[in-house]
Amino acid sequence: MIKILNIEECELILSRNYIGHLAYVYQGKPFVVPITYFYSTDRIICYSGDGHKINALRQHKSVALEVSEINTITNWKSVVAHGDFIELERSSAKALLHEFSLGVKDVILRKELRDLDFISEFSAKIDAEETAVVFVIDITELTGKLRHD
């Protein structure tokens, strides 16, 4: 049976995962890439090195993030968050990168029962010469489905 997920169920799936597939358009072609994210109430926090993906996102702000929980071919959940790319500046970027690192650490601890210390790693990225680009996906629509026997 396939069922449509409500908003709360979609948010739960986003909040208990940290890897999704980011969809965007660059030079008229669709791209989908895996990305680490943190869901934080109506927005998704991400970071990336400057490059192809960021250049594309700066040109076309509409994006989608897909997150799946797949157990078997007949037992899965999938959420798609549509939204707009918003690049953050220095102080806002640093604060959200800190929130991202704490959030992802907590999700990994709950999901994988592993305790990681990445706060210093992410904090160093924001001060390094090749500063990471910190951005949010401002969610405009959430949809989801599940299938189970």
Side-chain angles (χ1 to χ4, degrees), residues 79-136:
V79 171
V80 177
H82 291 270
D84 298 311
F85 164 82
I86 300 171
E87 187 172 348
L88 299 167
E89 297 300 321
R90 193 115 180 107
S91 60
S92 297
K94 188 167 187 165
L96 277 187
L97 194 57
H98 187 74
E99 181 180 346
F100 171 93
S101 66
L102 291 174
V104 170
K105 178 181 177 178
D106 185 55
V107 173
I108 290 171
L109 182 60
R110 284 185 282 121
K111 186 173 185 149
E112 300 174 17
L113 304 176
R114 293 189 303 146
D115 189 16
L116 303 175
D117 182 23
F118 351 81
I119 295 170
S120 59
E121 178 185 337
F122 289 113
S123 295
K125 286 182 187 292
I126 207 69
D127 292 323
E129 277 183 36
E130 289 186 38
T131 300
V133 176
V134 180
F135 63 95
V136 297

Side-chain angles (χ1 to χ4, degrees), residues 8-58:
E8 292 79 19
E9 291 167 319
C10 291
E11 289 175 335
L12 180 61
I13 291 169
L14 286 175
S15 70
R16 69 181 177 213
N17 290 283
Y18 62 96
I19 297 174
H21 292 91
L22 182 69
Y24 59 94
V25 175
Y26 185 65
Q27 296 181 343
K29 294 181 187 177
F31 287 84
V32 177
V33 297
I35 192 166
T36 303
Y37 75 91
F38 176 65
Y39 175 71
S40 176
T41 316
D42 297 330
R43 67 180 177 188
I44 296 165
I45 305 169
C46 309
Y47 84 98
S48 178
D50 210 357
H52 174 271
K53 175 176 52 225
I54 296 301
N55 290 337
L57 295 172
R58 286 173 177 152

